């Protein structure tokens, strides 16, 4: 029998592997001996393991034997690689000092083989293990890797030393600890070709940061770095600026404001909106998130096309004058009794996503939500979704039901969230965020059977749904009502003649520990 797979040229096999997840790359090793040798020499390397859930039980003789086995396998795998393009480590281990020598050796190996993308993540995003136990000190060789294009560090310790990263295009530092306040500035200065900088929840960054002589910088983000008091930016190509901090006194100075197309302000910086917004004469996208607005929120821009107001904890009066706005995402954490939609002038708004809790849906209703939506050009395309975290009810045509009826239906239901949307993406995101291990159900109230089938096809092929669910099943309403576990199904509005059911079966979660 002819082995056609082994006859494929190595360049074509590498192209196939580049399009596969790492677990599937490992699985190709069983296709033939040639494919086994290919994946061993494949220039990308990823190692993911999590021992932080062991509650100390890992620290036994058998546990250390298993760790030694992993270390030996990694050593053998790396020894086969003549070059490394992408090197990624994601490790949660209760005793990081036990791994330091090995980690240093692996990183030294990667830099010697001209690694271009380096990702190092230690610990978890939540803190049930003390922070100091999961910090790993980055070797000086990494900060002097002349071929490095992408550097992504999470929960690492950065110590004093020389820094030289001439080819670095993307720098991401998340929850890192700096041993010296001047080191953050040194790293920025050492990246003349940098295009993206992200600094999130880092400690020891100092009070001042000067981003100068960065002709290629397109994106700059600072999130929850409370030490900064002043940031200077000289970047003529800057396209995206994101700043979120509870430190309202931080001053931002820019040599030019007109190049920025996307602006994000979060937390305490939302109160500085009135100061910042007039400076951005060419702004196309504005995002306000995770903060408080204690006085009038005034947004006036003739260039603004996209506006995102997300999880603003206090939302008082607001006035929006955006004649060219096309997309709006609105999900307030709270709404003031003084809030009114009548002060929003957005005549060209087409794409809309609004999410309310039941309580604030009622406040939005009193604030003139219905009248606001009915004036929109896309009103006929709006749909409404009710969710109680287990089941979903979707009304295909919002305009077919009066707002008073919708309000009564919401108040009688056990719904937790209300979504009003002109598309399927936000619903797909809500479905993707579901933590239910089994099946999720959607009750469809549609204008026709054809409309129900069309919606099913659109949602089935959405990338988020394809990633989260393995089977989408269309059933009759009677079958669905048996499947639905919540009381939401018992209080449905029977405003439509055509109903259908959709059952989505979630994919099984696979073990994420792997190495290649």
């Amino acid at each position: 029998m002819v082995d056609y797979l082994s006859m494929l040229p190595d360049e074509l096999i590498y192209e196939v592997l580049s399009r596969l997840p790492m677990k599937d790359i490992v699985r190709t090793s069983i296709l033939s001996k040639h494919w086994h040798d290919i994946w061993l020499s494949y220039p990308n390397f990823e190692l993911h393991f999590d021992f932080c859930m062991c509650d100390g039980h890992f620290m036994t003789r058998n546990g250390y034997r298993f760790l030694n086995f992993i270390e030996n396998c990694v050593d053998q795998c790396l020894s086969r690689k003549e070059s490394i393009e992408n090197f990624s480590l994601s490790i949660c281990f209760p005793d990081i000092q036990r791994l330091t020598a090995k980690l240093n050796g692996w990183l030294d190996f990667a830099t010697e083989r001209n690694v271009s993308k380096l990702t190092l993540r230690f610990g978890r995003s939540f803190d049930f293990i003390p922070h100091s136990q999961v910090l790993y000190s980055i070797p000086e060789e990494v900060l002097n890797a002349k071929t490095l294009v992408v550097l992504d560090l999470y929960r690492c310790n950065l110590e004093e030393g020389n820094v030289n990263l001439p080819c670095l295009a993307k720098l991401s530092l998340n929850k890192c600890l700096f041993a010296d306040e001047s080191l953050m500035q040194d790293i920025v200065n050492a990246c003349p070709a940098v295009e993206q900088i992200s600094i999130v929840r880092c400690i020891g960054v100092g009070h001042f940061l000067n981003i100068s002589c960065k002709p290629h910088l397109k994106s700059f983000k600072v999130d929850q770095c409370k030490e900064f008091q002043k940031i200077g930016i000289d970047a003529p190509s800057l396209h995206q600026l994101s700043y979120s901090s509870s430190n309202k006194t931080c001053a931002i100075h820019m040599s030019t404001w007109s190049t920025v197309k996307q602006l994000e302000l979060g937390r305490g910086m939302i109160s500085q909106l009135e100061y910042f917004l007039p400076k951005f004469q060419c702004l196309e996208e504005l995002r306000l998130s995770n903060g408080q607005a204690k006085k009038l929120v005034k947004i006036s821009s003739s260039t603004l096309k996209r506006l995102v107001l997300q999880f603003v904890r206090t939302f008082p009066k607001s006035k929006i004058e955006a004649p060219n706005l096309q997309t709006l995402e609105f999900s307030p954490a709270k709404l003031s009794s003084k809030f009114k939609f009548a002060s929003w002038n957005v005549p060209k708004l087409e794409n809309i996503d609004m999410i309310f809790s039941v309580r604030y849906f009622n406040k939005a209703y009193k604030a003139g939500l219905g009248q606001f939506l009915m004036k929109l050009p896309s009103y006929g395309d709006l749909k409404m979704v009710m969710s109680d975290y287990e089941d979903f009810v979707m009304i295909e045509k919002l305009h077919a039901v009066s707002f008073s009826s919708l309000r009564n239906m919401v108040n009688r239901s056990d719904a937790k969230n209300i979504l009003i949307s002109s598309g399927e993406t936000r619903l797909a995101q809500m479905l993707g965020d579901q933590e239910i291990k089994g099946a999720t159900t959607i009750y469809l109230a549609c204008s026709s059977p054809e409309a129900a089938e069309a919606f099913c096809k659109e949602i089935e092929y959405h990338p988020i749904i394809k990633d989260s669910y393995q089977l989408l099943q269309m059933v009759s309403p009677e079958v669905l009502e048996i499947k639905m576990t919540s009381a939401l199904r018992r209080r449905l509005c029977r405003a439509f003649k055509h109903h259908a059911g959709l059952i989505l079966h979630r994919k099984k979660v696979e073990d994420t520990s792997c190495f290649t």
Side-chain angles (χ1 to χ4, degrees), residues 321-370:
E321 190 69 33
N324 294 303
L325 191 71
Q326 299 173 3
T327 300
L328 171 67
E329 296 180 28
F330 184 53
S331 51
K334 290 184 179 180
L335 278 180
S336 167
S337 58
K338 299 179 181 180
F339 179 85
K340 300 294 180 184
F341 283 99
S343 58
W344 289 16
N345 181 29
V346 286
K348 295 184 180 179
L349 187 62
E350 295 180 358
N351 307 309
I352 188 168
D353 285 318
M354 290 183 162
I355 300 180
F356 304 96
S357 65
V358 171
R359 177 183 177 185
Y360 290 108
F361 177 80
N362 285 319
K363 284 198 172 185
Y365 173 83
K366 294 178 181 178
L369 175 63

Side-chain angles (χ1 to χ4, degrees), residues 274-288:
E274 189 174 353
Y275 166 77
F276 278 110
L277 193 56
K279 296 178 179 292
F280 297 97
Q281 297 296 320
C282 300
L283 194 67
E284 296 181 0
E285 179 176 334
L286 174 63
R287 181 183 293 266
L288 305 179

Side-chain angles (χ1 to χ4, degrees), residues 60-238:
T60 63
R61 181 179 298 178
N62 289 335
Y64 278 116
R65 283 177 179 172
F66 181 61
L67 179 61
N68 290 333
F69 169 75
I70 291 179
E71 291 175 340
N72 291 333
C73 289
V74 172
D75 289 339
Q76 293 179 23
C77 183
L78 287 177
S79 67
R80 297 287 195 98
K81 299 183 184 294
E82 297 179 358
S83 65
I84 295 180
E85 295 178 6
N86 182 356
F87 189 91
S88 177
L89 296 178
S90 180
I91 298 173
C92 186
F93 189 71
D95 182 15
I96 200 66
Q97 281 72 28
R98 165 67 176 76
L99 299 177
T100 297
K102 277 293 183 183
L103 291 171
N104 290 345
W106 295 341
L107 291 176
D108 185 54
F109 184 93
T111 54
E112 287 179 354
R113 280 155 180 76
N114 300 324
V115 62
S116 61
K117 181 178 180 181
L118 180 62
T119 302
L120 302 175
R121 302 181 67 84
F122 298 96
R124 289 165 164 258
S125 58
F126 48 88
D127 293 327
F128 71 92
I129 289 180
H131 190 78
S132 61
Q133 291 188 13
V134 292
L135 286 183
Y136 165 70
S137 294
I138 299 299
E140 189 172 340
E141 289 78 10
V142 171
L143 299 180
N144 288 273
K146 293 181 172 56
T147 59
L148 206 56
V149 177
V150 176
L151 179 60
D152 186 351
L153 303 180
Y154 179 84
R155 284 203 172 189
C156 296
N157 192 29
L158 293 162
E159 300 178 347
E160 293 182 81
N162 295 325
V163 186
N164 184 23
L165 299 165
C167 296
L168 195 70
K170 182 178 180 180
L171 173 66
S172 178
L173 305 172
N174 194 329
K175 294 187 178 180
C176 292
L177 178 63
F178 290 77
D180 186 87
E181 290 187 353
S182 64
L183 186 54
M184 180 73 255
Q185 184 67 64
D186 292 342
I187 293 175
V188 170
N189 292 342
C191 308
V194 69
E195 298 178 9
Q196 299 179 46
I197 297 177
S198 176
I199 310 168
V200 179
R201 295 181 180 271
C202 291
I203 300 174
V205 293
H207 299 306
F208 307 102
L209 183 63
N210 186 28
I211 310 293
S212 61
C213 301
K214 295 291 181 287
H216 306 291
L217 185 64
K218 297 180 177 64
S219 175
F220 179 64
K221 176 180 180 179
V222 174
D223 186 4
Q224 285 295 78
C225 295
K226 302 177 183 179
E227 298 168 56
F228 285 133
Q229 296 178 2
K230 182 179 178 180
I231 297 177
I233 303 175
D234 179 13
S237 300
L238 190 66

Side-chain angles (χ1 to χ4, degrees), residues 238-415:
L238 190 66
H239 180 86
Q240 183 177 10
L241 175 63
S242 175
Y243 196 91
S244 177
S245 176
S246 56
N247 182 8
K248 304 176 185 178
T249 61
C250 181
I252 298 178
H253 300 279
M254 297 179 62
S255 59
T256 177
W257 303 80
S258 60
T259 60
V260 176
K261 305 293 184 183
Q262 300 175 13
L263 173 65
E264 178 176 5
L265 298 176
R267 296 179 172 85
M269 298 304 294
I270 292 179
S271 63
Q272 304 296 315
L273 178 64
E274 189 174 353
Y275 166 77
F276 278 110
L277 193 56
K279 296 178 179 292
F280 297 97
Q281 297 296 320
C282 300
L283 194 67
E284 296 181 0
E285 179 176 334
L286 174 63
R287 181 183 293 266
L288 305 179
S289 61
N290 299 308
Q292 297 189 60
K294 296 182 179 180
K295 58 182 181 178
L296 173 67
V297 177
K298 187 176 181 180
I299 299 172
S300 179
S301 172
S302 60
T303 61
L304 198 63
K305 296 180 181 179
R306 181 184 179 90
L307 176 61
V308 180
L309 305 173
Q310 189 175 33
F311 306 127
V312 180
R313 292 193 296 275
T314 302
F315 212 95
K317 292 181 180 180
S318 64
K319 184 177 181 180
I320 299 177
E321 190 69 33
N324 294 303
L325 191 71
Q326 299 173 3
T327 300
L328 171 67
E329 296 180 28
F330 184 53
S331 51
K334 290 184 179 180
L335 278 180
S336 167
S337 58
K338 299 179 181 180
F339 179 85
K340 300 294 180 184
F341 283 99
S343 58
W344 289 16
N345 181 29
V346 286
K348 295 184 180 179
L349 187 62
E350 295 180 358
N351 307 309
I352 188 168
D353 285 318
M354 290 183 162
I355 300 180
F356 304 96
S357 65
V358 171
R359 177 183 177 185
Y360 290 108
F361 177 80
N362 285 319
K363 284 198 172 185
Y365 173 83
K366 294 178 181 178
L369 175 63
Q371 294 85 338
F372 170 74
L373 295 177
M374 284 187 279
K375 293 179 181 179
L376 300 180
S378 60
Y379 179 56
D381 298 324
L382 295 181
K383 58 180 67 67
M384 177 174 171
V385 178
M386 296 183 294
S387 165
D388 65 355
Y389 304 126
E390 294 182 3
D391 302 316
F392 291 75
V393 174
M394 191 197 81
I395 299 175
E396 179 213 2
K397 297 293 184 182
L398 181 65
H399 67 83
V401 185
S402 69
F403 265 87
S404 59
S405 298
L406 288 174
R407 185 190 182 195
N408 291 334
M409 177 181 63
V410 168
N411 290 331
R412 291 197 309 268
S413 73
D414 293 330

